[in-house]
Amino acid sequence: MARTFDIKELVSLVNELSRGRLAMRLTGADATVTRFMPPQAAGEGDMAFLTNAAYAEAMKTSKASVLIMREQDAMALFGEELPERTILLCENPYAFFAFATQILTKAEVTVGIHPRAFVEEGAEVDPTATIEALAVVRAGAKVGAHTVVKTGAVIAERVTVGDDCIIYPNVVLERDTVVGNRCIFQPGCVIGADGFGFAPFKGEWVKIPQTGRVVIGDDVEIGANTTVDRGALEDTVIGKGTKLDNQIQIAHNDRIGEHCVMAACVGIAGSTSIGDHTMVGGAAMINGHIDVPAGSVVGPSSVITGWGDKPCQRTGFFPALEGKDFQLTVATITRLPAMRKELKALSRRVEELSALIRSTEE
């Protein structure tokens, strides 16, 4: 159900949610708002924001109750004298849209422990937290203020969950996991399962118990069915502000930096370090024991087997081809070592012939 806000109240809540980092200034009359709409479709009670120049003319004629744009864009559209209507001058309208939508769509929850939830003796649940039916909180676990644990989620032994987190249905936070504040775990993700550790012994594989933890910073979001393995000896770490998409595999002892983003189906092998503010495209594969410098970019479907000391963008994938073209390309690639030898032999022969010609000319 849509929630209605006075625009001044909404701006104040966005300022609080952004921790005062988003510069905003309201002009014009007060207004009541309920939702965002594209400028050409907006009407009474709607907000429209400008981030794409293609919609500039539509913003001029928009019937939205509130227009949201950068100050320089407002001056370019309307001139020095802004029209008599409600305009929010904002340094980053898209960020305002993101923060405000969180507020507008925040679901109401029933605070407390549902009678059909299972909270073991010795677990600590803040009185303002919500534990829904069929959720499990094991002994020694701690659930922080205003955190919501939804149906079927499992908070295992000695897990610590901070404040204002949302743990969606069927999430598993395994033993000793540490979670910061304001984290979101989408349905089905598994945090703290054993890493893939086995010792070869006489043709068999002997399991190595994984004794490390998973430690997750503040403001992390982890997508549906993503898995983050516990460390073998040291911890697996996800830095604050990092966002992981669906169906990602983070292996044991990995250290993912702060404010990284990874698209779906990324796989990172064990003991790899990803620096702060790194971006990883969908389905990229990163080998183990690699240090990726802060600020790097990994393209989609890339296979990373090593890295240098400096941040850069690396992309390496084989684009899809028609069947016959693919077969021809693969056949060519398989012949590259032999072709290289042939090319070297031809180069030597050319040098010999050139030397022979020079000698006859003398």
Side-chain angles (χ1 to χ4, degrees):
M1 185 176 179
R3 304 173 69 193
T4 298
F5 287 87
D6 178 274
I7 186 60
K8 290 180 180 177
E9 179 189 7
L10 184 59
V11 168
S12 176
L13 290 170
V14 168
N15 183 64
E16 182 180 343
L17 193 57
S18 68
R19 302 194 292 281
R21 296 173 297 156
L22 183 63
M24 299 173 284
R25 180 167 65 89
L26 266 172
T27 69
D30 200 5
T32 300
V33 294
T34 302
R35 62 178 183 173
F36 287 92
M37 286 293 285
Q40 66 275 18
E44 183 92 18
D46 294 337
M47 294 174 283
F49 64 94
L50 179 65
T51 57
N52 188 328
Y55 295 98
E57 288 303 314
M59 287 289 281
K60 272 188 178 182
T61 58
S62 178
K63 296 179 181 178
S65 294
V66 178
L67 301 179
I68 303 158
M69 63 186 77
R70 298 184 305 165
E71 185 163 1
Q72 58 265 43
D73 293 333
M75 298 303 174
L77 278 181
F78 302 113
E80 294 292 330
E81 293 294 327
L82 297 180
E84 292 295 323
R85 58 182 307 178
T86 307
I87 299 176
L88 175 63
L89 302 175
C90 177
E91 65 170 333
N92 188 335
Y94 199 50
F96 179 85
F97 163 70
F99 284 123
T101 301
Q102 290 181 36
I103 296 164
L104 292 168
T105 60
K106 186 175 182 179
E108 297 291 338
V109 296
T110 301
V111 172
I113 300 172
H114 192 279
R116 294 183 64 190
F118 183 72
V119 178
E120 289 186 345
E121 185 177 350
E124 298 180 24
V125 177
D126 189 276
T128 63
T130 298
I131 312 296
E132 292 187 349
L134 306 182
V136 175
V137 183
R138 304 299 299 270
K142 297 180 180 180
V143 178
H146 308 291
T147 285
V148 177
V149 182
K150 290 186 169 288
T151 298
V154 176
I155 313 298
E157 297 88 345
R158 301 178 303 279
V159 169
T160 300
V161 180
D163 300 340
D164 299 297
C165 295
I166 304 176
I167 301 170
Y168 280 99
N170 300 322
V171 168
V172 176
L173 302 182
E174 261 295 353
R175 64 192 188 281
D176 300 310
T177 294
V178 178
V179 176
N181 302 316
R182 299 176 300 279
C183 293
I184 299 173
F185 298 89
Q186 296 293 345
C189 70
V190 177
I191 311 300
D194 275 1
F196 195 66
F198 300 90
F201 175 70
K202 297 186 177 182
E204 302 174 2
W205 295 100
V206 181
K207 182 175 177 61
I208 301 171
Q210 307 289 282
T211 59
R213 305 174 300 169
V214 174
V215 178
I216 296 175
D218 294 343
D219 301 299
V220 169
E221 180 161 351
I222 296 181
N225 294 326
T226 284
T227 54
V228 180
D229 290 344
R230 68 192 310 108
L233 296 174
E234 296 182 303
D235 296 335
T236 300
V237 177
I238 310 292
K240 70 179 182 181
T242 284
K243 316 298 182 185
L244 304 181
D245 198 357
N246 303 333
Q247 297 180 318
I248 289 173
Q249 161 67 14
I250 305 295
H252 57 186
N253 308 322
D254 285 342
R255 302 186 73 85
I256 311 300
E258 299 179 358
H259 304 290
C260 297
V261 288
M262 297 185 189
C265 299
V266 166
I268 302 181
S271 300
T272 282
S273 176
I274 306 293
D276 299 345
H277 300 282
T278 291
M279 302 172 66
V280 183
M285 297 288 113
I286 302 177
N287 274 12
H289 303 275
I290 292 174
D291 290 336
V292 178
S296 296
V297 177
V298 178
S301 300
S302 298
V303 177
I304 305 299
T305 59
W307 206 285
D309 297 329
K310 296 180 180 179
C312 62
Q313 178 171 344
R314 293 182 185 270
T315 301
F317 60 92
F318 205 92
L321 301 170
E322 291 187 14
K324 290 183 179 179
D325 291 338
F326 178 77
Q327 291 173 5
L328 178 61
T329 302
V330 170
T332 302
I333 289 173
T334 58
R335 288 198 65 245
L336 284 177
M339 293 168 66
R340 184 170 178 268
K341 289 181 180 179
E342 292 172 8
L343 183 59
K344 281 188 172 182
L346 287 171
S347 296
R348 285 196 299 269
R349 183 58 177 154
V350 168
E351 290 175 3
E352 291 170 0
L353 291 172
S354 296
L356 180 61
I357 290 170
R358 285 195 299 271
S359 65
T360 57
E361 289 178 346
E362 294 173 356

